[in-house]
Amino acid sequence: MTTLAEAVRDDEAAKIERLEGAMLQHEQVECPVEHIFGPGLYIRQGVIPAGTLVVGHRHKNAHTNILLRGVMVLATEDGVRRIEAPMVWIAPPGRKVFLVLEDILLQNLYPTDLTDPDAIEEAFIEKSETWQAHDEEVRARLLSGIAQTMELAASCG
C-alpha cells in the first residue's frame, strides 16, 4: 500500500496525476485568490474551505508558505504532517497534496519582480497534462456556451 507521502515523490508522480484526474471529474470548490505585490515579492493568498482535498501544481523551486488561519494535513515528498496556523515553512520543489481540516488562509511567496499572475505561474509552476487537458475542455465548453448565447440573442433581436 502506498502512503500519501510516497505518492507525492517524483517516482510516484503518475499516482498524483491520476488522483488529480479523478478529482477534476467532480465539481470544483471555489477558492478565492488574491494577488499581492511588493518590492521583489509576489504573494498568492487563498482561502480554502474545510473538507477540501487539494492537489497543487508542480513547483519548479522551493518556496515559502505561510498558513495564517486554519488547520491542514500536508503531504510532500518529505512526509505527511499536520499544520496549524500560524505556521511558516519552506516547501520543496514538486507537488503538494493537502486536506483542509479547518478553513485556511494560505499564502505562497515567490521572489520576483513580475506583476502578471499568468507570467508568474509560467515562471514558477508546471501544470500537468491532465490539468491542461481539463482546462482546454472547460474553455471549449465556455466558448461554445457564449456562441450559443450570442446566436440566441441575435435571433431574438
Side-chain angles (χ1 to χ4, degrees):
M1 179 175 189
T2 302
T3 68
L4 192 53
E6 290 169 338
V8 175
R9 293 192 182 107
D10 285 343
D11 60 339
E12 298 288 341
K15 290 180 182 178
I16 293 175
E17 194 152 342
R18 285 196 303 273
L19 172 62
E20 179 180 50
M23 291 173 58
L24 288 171
Q25 299 304 311
H26 300 279
E27 185 174 338
Q28 300 300 291
V29 175
E30 184 67 31
C31 300
V33 173
E34 183 179 356
H35 305 282
I36 304 166
F37 301 94
L41 182 65
Y42 165 65
I43 302 170
R44 180 180 173 92
Q45 179 171 283
V47 175
I48 306 173
T52 304
L53 179 62
V54 176
V55 177
H57 296 302
R58 186 179 122 22
H59 285 78
K60 297 176 184 177
N61 305 297
H63 61 286
T64 303
N65 292 271
I66 302 174
L67 183 63
L68 296 167
R69 181 178 66 232
V71 180
M72 60 193 259
V73 175
L74 172 69
T76 67
E77 63 184 42
D78 293 334
V80 176
R81 62 184 175 149
R82 180 184 170 103
I83 298 179
E84 295 185 32
M87 176 67 72
V88 177
W89 74 97
I90 306 300
R95 297 187 83 173
K96 291 185 286 226
V97 176
F98 59 92
L99 176 63
V100 179
L101 302 179
E102 295 177 12
D103 293 357
I104 64 172
L105 177 59
L106 178 66
Q107 294 180 332
N108 294 328
L109 285 70
Y110 304 93
T112 184
D113 290 319
L114 297 171
T115 57
D116 174 17
D118 291 334
I120 293 168
E121 277 194 359
E122 181 70 28
F124 289 96
I125 68 168
E126 292 177 3
K127 295 181 179 180
S128 70
E129 290 179 14
T130 299
W131 171 264
Q132 291 177 43
H134 171 77
D135 193 47
E136 287 175 18
E137 180 181 314
V138 168
R139 289 174 193 262
R141 280 192 304 231
L142 286 173
L143 289 174
S144 174
I146 291 169
Q148 290 175 359
T149 300
M150 291 176 68
E151 288 174 11
L152 180 61
S155 68
C156 293

